[in-house]
Amino acid sequence: MVNEKMYALGSKRSAIREIFEYAKKRAAEIGRENVFDFSIGNPSVPAPACVDEAIEHILQETPSVELHGYTSAQGDKNCRDRIAENLRSRFGADISGDDLYLTCGAAASLTVSMHALVTPGTGAEILAFAPYFAEYKVFAESAGARFTPLPTEDGTFLPDFSVLEKAMNPAVAAVVVNSPNNPSGVVYKEETIERLAAFLRAREKEYGHPVYLITDEPYRELVYDEKTKVPFVPNYYDDTLVCYSYSKSLSLPGERIGYIAVSPRAADAKAVYAAVCGAGRALGFVCAPSLFQRVAAECDGKTSDLSVYKRNRDRLYNGLTSLGYTCVYPDGAFYLFVKSPEPDANAFCERARKYELLFVSGDDFGCPGYVRIAYCVSAEQIGRALPLFKALAAEYSLPPKP
Ligand code: PLP
């Protein structure tokens, strides 16, 4: 006998993983160079030099038993202090090492945070703005909450406050925001965060209990224009848990390292932090990888070479829109969220496969009628894919733009 829910989750891959696996199979059949895999957010830019330098000197300077031993469950104190110090200097944040819980990437940060905030059996609800990272539903439901996606403003993918207003109720334990956003690439400006914060503060007052904001931030540094700023949410809203990851900023998705920062200004910050520690314990996310805690502490705030993604974004965005595709301008992350030229985005993905163009349907992000194209690929892949996108556009008679 097995847990039916877990069986169902484990026996069906996510749509992204499904296409990623298909791409590998196809590459074995027809050659890697003939497959244009835009399915997964695996960074194509190597980790910055500071990562290898940190690994080298940590290996030389830290006794092996210490380096490869257990750290404190919530993460090594010295590493937490260093990351917090950096957050203070970068964002003027009121965060100390005692507010941080080091985890295995944003996925662990999110599931731990949701388990920390939700009491099963109480009808708790978690809201997120669509399009959203599909695993939110898995994490929220496994924590015992109902997951409610909220449609966003047409064309901009920004929160629609009239929708939020209708959905909001006293059972909402948390609202999840993800900016820069996967899959839309949209970045919430300060005015959006301020408006959201004011809305939630008013509701907290009305309900007489906190409503938490969970900010999912693996793409915090991945913005490409000088003018694009990513507000540090705890500076705007007290009841915030930041779920950060080094997977994308330092190109370290396989090393599984990130953190949760519980704002010390939260009404019951100490209790929330203790619940985070408890959820980490219950889920087995204790003592994040020791070597990479140290690497993160040294490299926090640095990034891999983002100019590569910027060039990819510009080339693909300009290329696709001039072919007649419609797409919101992506200020950050490394995805384009393109309107499907036919109502069924899955049918569009299928048609693209004829050209060996692989990307994922927006259905999987709670946003039917769109597809996500990940541009964390080589420039060469983009260059060779554009004529194929052109042939695909011709099938739909898309009107090219001058
Ligand atoms: N949240 C979002 C929006 C993501 O895109 C991802 C990964 O792609 C994650 C969370 C999980 O990231 P991690 O690899 O750090 O677990």
Side-chain angles (χ1 to χ4, degrees), residues 40-52:
I40 201 164
N42 218 357
S44 55
V45 176
C50 65
V51 166
D52 284 352

Side-chain angles (χ1 to χ4, degrees), residues 71-81 84 95-103 109 112-113 115-117 212 238-242 258-282 285-288 293:
T71 64
S72 299
Q74 67 271 43
D76 176 75
K77 167 87 173 127
N78 181 45
C79 294
R80 287 184 285 120
D81 285 347
I95 300 262
S96 82
D98 294 338
D99 306 315
L100 294 186
Y101 186 93
L102 299 186
T103 59
S109 302
V112 166
S113 297
H115 277 79
L117 298 178
Y212 295 95
D238 290 346
D239 291 317
T240 296
L241 282 76
V242 175
Y259 61 78
I260 301 165
V262 176
S263 172
R265 297 187 198 160
D268 44 6
K270 291 267 176 285
V272 175
Y273 187 79
V276 162
C277 295
R281 181 178 170 195
F285 284 120
V286 288
C287 314
Q293 290 190 36

